[in-house]
Amino acid sequence: MDKFRMIFQFLQSNQESFMNGICGIMALASAQMYSAFDFNCPCLPSYNLAYGLGILFVPPLVLFLLGFVMNNNVSVLAEEWKRPTGMRQKDPAVLRYMFCSMAQRAMIAPAVWISVTLLDGKCFMCAFSTSVPVEKLGNGSYTGLSEKEVRRILARIPCKEIYNGQELVAREVVVRYLRCISQALGWSFVLLVTMVAFLVRALRPCFTQAAFLKSKYWSHYIDIERKLFDETCTEHAKTFAKVCIQQFFEAMNKDMGLGHTHSPEVAPSEVGEEKEKLLGITDQGTMNKLLKSWHKCKPPLCLHQEVLQNGNSWVEENQHHNHISLPKREIVTYYSKV
């Protein structure tokens, strides 16, 4: 059990690496899903295009949405976007940075699916088999068939078992032609995605370094603040429940006339520690008010600490309090004011 707890804590502390790993697993899973997918082209003029393009674009859309669903920062982004302004302004640049970071990871698996699908060529051949130039690839002098009949024959090209148009155009010629185009599009797509990823990851910080660092910092702050607030609430709930249970047992002890039994005395240090963990919040109404206020009016990003006049005062104070992070100080200050 301790090993699983250590692994979970490691994943929480290395969330970016964890999410990159999840995206890599989803990318491999998308490629494996395609290889295991039973592709059956309908070989009908009215359905080939819809089926081929559906297989090409619908699964990537599902994988893209799954990439957002599996990202824990989606709820953080939604909460920050919809929360009331209160005493803390919302920065659109931070919201854009959070969304772009999640979108970049969520697009990996769809990009792999589209690349594998185009390089394989089956979907493209199914979708565009009726659009091949028969006069260039086949027997241009073959007559006696209407345009509708020609489309019906060409639609059967993906289905080797039922194709009966060898006199019109050889199936092997059309298959090679369509797969050539599909693979060219596939490699072009891979090159385009690689170039866009390079430009976004490498060149963007060079032109907007200050704005990039600011957005990155406050994005991490919002995520850390939410985690620390949840941890503080959990610790408070544990202490609150412990004190309530102890008071209940003591009251029942008195009501049932069991006063002759001596309950174990609680050490003053333990009492002081529990009182410190409660942070002055000792009833349900106050706690509900605190949670409501935290949602509607988060405290401003300004720490209340002693301001020393000498030039090295901030450094000295930071050395004395380096074990308390900015979000944790903000949360503890907020608890103390309620």
Side-chain angles (χ1 to χ4, degrees), residues 293-307:
S293 299
W294 179 261
H295 170 69
K296 287 190 174 182
C297 188
K298 287 188 177 181
L301 297 174
C302 179
L303 300 180
H304 299 283
Q305 50 184 320
E306 295 180 3
V307 181

Side-chain angles (χ1 to χ4, degrees), residues 63-279:
L63 292 171
F64 181 73
L65 296 178
L66 280 177
F68 275 96
V69 170
M70 298 183 67
N71 196 319
N72 295 329
N73 289 331
V74 172
S75 56
V76 179
L77 175 62
E79 181 181 339
E80 181 66 17
W81 178 43
K82 294 297 294 183
R83 71 169 175 85
T85 302
M87 293 186 292
R88 183 186 300 181
Q89 296 294 327
K90 291 185 285 188
D91 191 350
V94 176
L95 298 178
R96 286 195 300 269
Y97 175 84
M98 296 174 66
F99 177 79
C100 291
S101 298
M102 290 185 291
Q104 289 173 17
R105 293 188 176 95
M107 289 175 62
I108 295 176
V112 171
W113 177 278
I114 294 176
S115 302
V116 172
T117 304
L118 288 175
L119 292 175
D120 183 65
K122 292 180 182 177
C123 290
F124 189 87
M125 181 170 60
C126 178
F128 298 100
S129 60
T130 58
S131 303
V132 296
V134 179
E135 62 279 0
K136 294 182 179 179
L137 302 179
N139 186 5
S141 61
Y142 189 81
T143 58
L145 294 176
S146 63
E147 182 179 355
K148 185 177 180 180
E149 292 174 339
V150 171
R151 286 177 55 85
R152 181 176 57 82
I153 293 175
L154 294 178
R156 296 180 178 179
I157 290 176
C159 305
K160 183 177 181 181
E161 300 81 8
I162 63 174
Y163 181 67
N164 57 354
Q166 287 293 130
E167 297 82 3
L168 179 64
V169 59
R171 181 181 180 276
E172 292 76 10
V173 174
V174 178
V175 170
R176 287 177 178 271
Y177 175 78
L178 293 177
R179 279 191 173 175
C180 178
I181 297 177
S182 180
Q183 291 176 358
L185 292 175
W187 285 115
S188 300
F189 178 77
V190 172
L191 178 62
L192 176 64
V193 170
T194 305
M195 292 298 297
V196 171
F198 171 77
L199 294 175
V200 171
R201 300 286 293 182
L203 299 183
R204 183 184 63 178
C206 298
F207 295 101
T208 58
Q209 182 67 19
F212 175 77
L213 291 176
K214 183 187 75 170
S215 301
K216 184 177 181 179
Y217 174 86
W218 289 115
S219 172
H220 290 169
Y221 173 86
I222 293 171
D223 184 33
I224 294 171
E225 183 187 58
R226 187 191 184 193
K227 291 179 181 177
L228 290 178
F229 183 78
D230 292 340
E231 292 175 3
T232 306
C233 289
T234 302
E235 189 67 27
H236 184 277
K238 289 180 180 179
T239 307
F240 193 87
K242 182 179 179 180
V243 174
C244 283
I245 293 172
Q246 288 176 349
Q247 292 179 354
F248 173 77
F249 272 85
E250 291 172 0
M252 291 298 297
N253 185 20
K254 295 178 181 179
D255 293 342
M256 297 175 65
L258 300 177
H260 61 277
T261 58
H262 298 284
S263 57
E265 296 183 358
V266 182
S269 60
E270 186 177 349
V271 175
E273 184 180 352
E274 292 177 354
K275 186 178 296 185
E276 182 181 353
K277 290 181 179 179
L278 287 174
L279 297 171

